[in-house]
Amino acid sequence: MNENILLHEVQPGDTLEKIGKTIGMTSDQLKDFHNSHCNRMDKLWFDNLVGVRQIFVPKAYKSPEELIIEKKKELPPPDVTKDFYADNYSVKETFSNSLGNDLVIEYKININFKINRETNLPYLIADVRCYDFTKNTATPNDKMSLISLACMESIYPISFMVYVQGKISGIFEFEKLRQRFEKRRPDLEDFFIGEIYKTYLDKFHASLENQEFILKQFSSALLYQLLFPKTEWFYKTNNWTEDFHFVQNSFHLKCIMSAEYNHENTETVETLLKGSIKDPFCLQEIIRGISFNEESDEPANSQVELWYLTDKKTKKMLEAEASVSLWNDNELYRKQTLKLTQDEEIS
């Protein structure tokens, strides 16, 4: 017999309602429980137990309402906390197209929450740094990759302001990014010599004057949309509409979203979010980030999936995955996948 089930010896005057009250069940709930565990000939049909010697009862009954409350307690908290994050994650990002030319980029990401000395602010400050990049398993060695990575490294860490309900709201002390770059630029110019490099450094420097542009670059990236989810996503029970960037630095699209939760594992919870595009934009509008201001005859077919694995006890994000797909005429045009895995070696 299941260790969570007991055999109750029926006493004179017992009824399903009377027994049920002692363990927090209604008579119908107790009848259904017994009938789901007994032999066909021993099923109960009435509330009275005349002629019945034994019935099956749960050792620790929980009502549907209690189960809902219990499951909510296993989910991450409704507000963002530093405890939701590991210090370090390994990242694998894959770009696929219809030609089968996959590009795989792997790197590490470090997250460090600052102590906010101001109280009652609606955001936390998270310092984020990406490093140790490889491209198709090799260290990048082409000129543009080298200077791009060097420029980004010169301004790390980026201090993001993260709403307590999730999502990036801004960059904390944005002007410090430009100051860091200006301080390190002479060293970059000593290494990257030539007109092409100078043009790139000038353009990168100029971009650091535009806070709105830089914020969009980061907040529209798949990495940061996955890394800083809205906390309400872990509690959704009905479909809803969500803004999402399918292409970095393009405009956001409205998606019809749904959520599924799996609590079966004794230690972790899985949260799966699925969305399909609602806005009638064509593929070229999405790719170029420019609206043609007219409804497309061939709206793009796009889908997004976000998956989170969180610890029931610590509420920490152990793993997360994202997938964004764009189709053109029922043919896959572009697919981007990204996986975050807690780096146990250095966390």
Side-chain angles (χ1 to χ4, degrees):
M1 184 187 298
N2 189 314
E3 62 179 11
N4 295 315
I5 299 175
L6 299 174
L7 262 178
H8 173 78
E9 298 289 337
V10 177
Q11 305 298 316
D14 271 351
T15 64
L16 288 176
E17 182 180 8
K18 181 179 178 181
I19 299 170
K21 281 184 177 179
T22 65
I23 56 177
M25 300 177 75
T26 66
S27 58
D28 286 339
Q29 289 170 339
L30 182 53
K31 184 198 303 177
D32 291 341
F33 182 87
H34 171 84
N35 289 346
S36 66
H37 293 90
C38 70
N39 296 325
R40 185 170 180 271
M41 298 301 295
D42 295 325
K43 289 185 180 293
L44 300 174
W45 306 104
F46 306 103
D47 190 33
N48 71 70
L49 299 174
V50 177
V52 178
R53 296 176 55 194
Q54 296 176 321
I55 64 169
F56 289 107
V57 298
K59 183 178 291 186
Y61 173 74
K62 293 177 183 176
S63 69
E65 294 76 16
E66 289 173 322
L67 289 174
I68 291 175
I69 294 173
E70 186 176 87
K71 287 182 178 180
K72 282 186 176 181
K73 290 180 180 179
E74 296 173 346
L75 294 169
D79 289 337
V80 173
T81 70
K82 66 178 183 179
D83 295 330
F84 178 71
Y85 295 94
D87 293 336
N88 302 277
Y89 292 94
S90 295
V91 184
K92 182 175 182 179
E93 198 164 356
T94 304
F95 299 87
S96 307
N97 56 39
S98 58
L99 301 177
N101 301 324
D102 287 1
L103 171 63
V104 180
I105 299 175
E106 297 180 77
Y107 52 98
K108 305 285 188 182
I109 184 168
N110 172 260
I111 306 168
N112 179 41
F113 281 83
K114 289 182 176 180
I115 297 176
N116 196 341
R117 301 190 183 280
E118 296 186 54
T119 59
N120 300 320
L121 290 177
Y123 59 82
L124 286 77
I125 302 171
D127 281 352
V128 178
R129 174 178 175 251
C130 299
Y131 59 100
D132 284 355
F133 284 83
T134 64
K135 184 164 66 174
N136 291 338
T137 71
T139 301
N141 57 12
D142 59 284
K143 293 181 179 180
M144 295 314 297
S145 292
L146 289 174
I147 192 170
S148 175
L149 291 174
C151 286
M152 289 304 301
E153 181 60 32
S154 73
I155 64 172
Y156 278 135
I158 311 294
S159 297
F160 291 109
M161 296 184 291
V162 183
Y163 285 123
V164 291
Q165 296 84 15
K167 306 297 287 186
I168 294 173
S169 65
I171 298 176
F172 185 69
E173 297 181 334
F174 174 78
E175 65 280 357
K176 287 189 176 181
L177 300 184
R178 177 176 50 81
Q179 294 170 4
R180 288 180 200 151
F181 179 76
E182 290 174 347
K183 182 178 180 180
R184 298 173 188 175
R185 178 165 181 169
D187 293 333
L188 295 175
E189 289 176 325
D190 286 343
F191 187 82
F192 296 101
I193 301 172
E195 192 61 32
I196 293 177
Y197 289 134
K198 183 180 183 304
T199 299
Y200 188 96
L201 292 172
D202 287 343
K203 186 176 181 179
F204 188 84
H205 195 174
S207 71
L208 296 177
E209 301 288 344
N210 188 336
Q211 182 170 353
E212 183 178 346
F213 171 77
I214 295 296
L215 178 59
K216 186 175 182 180
Q217 286 283 317
F218 287 110
S219 61
S220 64
L222 185 58
L223 169 65
Y224 293 102
Q225 293 183 95
L226 178 67
L227 187 62
F228 296 111
K230 288 184 178 179
T231 53
E232 66 180 28
W233 290 353
F234 297 97
Y235 297 87
K236 290 289 188 179
T237 56
N238 299 309
N239 291 355
W240 75 99
T241 301
E242 190 71 54
D243 291 338
F244 198 84
H245 289 274
F246 280 76
V247 175
Q248 186 175 8
N249 208 32
S250 182
F251 48 77
H252 61 68
L253 299 169
K254 292 191 179 300
C255 297
I256 303 297
M257 303 292 295
S258 63
E260 301 173 13
Y261 309 97
N262 184 351
H263 292 258
E264 292 182 3
N265 189 288
T266 58
E267 297 180 351
T268 57
V269 180
E270 295 180 68
T271 300
L272 176 62
L273 310 167
K274 296 181 179 180
S276 57
I277 186 172
K278 179 181 179 182
D279 290 325
F281 292 106
C282 72
L283 182 62
Q284 287 304 312
E285 287 177 291
I286 298 172
I287 297 298
R288 295 169 60 184
I290 301 174
S291 173
F292 298 160
N293 296 318
E294 58 184 31
E295 189 168 323
S296 174
D297 294 331
E298 298 180 355
N301 180 8
S302 309
Q303 292 184 340
V304 58
E305 288 191 4
L306 305 172
W307 173 86
Y308 295 90
L309 183 70
T310 54
D311 189 289
K312 287 183 177 180
K313 184 177 181 180
T314 65
K315 318 302 182 187
K316 194 180 297 294
M317 178 175 65
L318 306 177
E319 294 182 26
E321 294 184 31
S323 172
V324 173
S325 303
L326 291 167
W327 283 271
N328 186 32
D329 293 332
N330 296 320
E331 182 178 349
L332 180 65
Y333 173 81
R334 178 179 183 269
K335 182 175 183 180
Q336 181 183 1
T337 59
L338 190 149
K339 182 174 183 179
L340 287 168
T341 306
Q342 178 182 342
D343 197 328
E344 297 179 353
E345 294 182 0
I346 54 179
S347 286

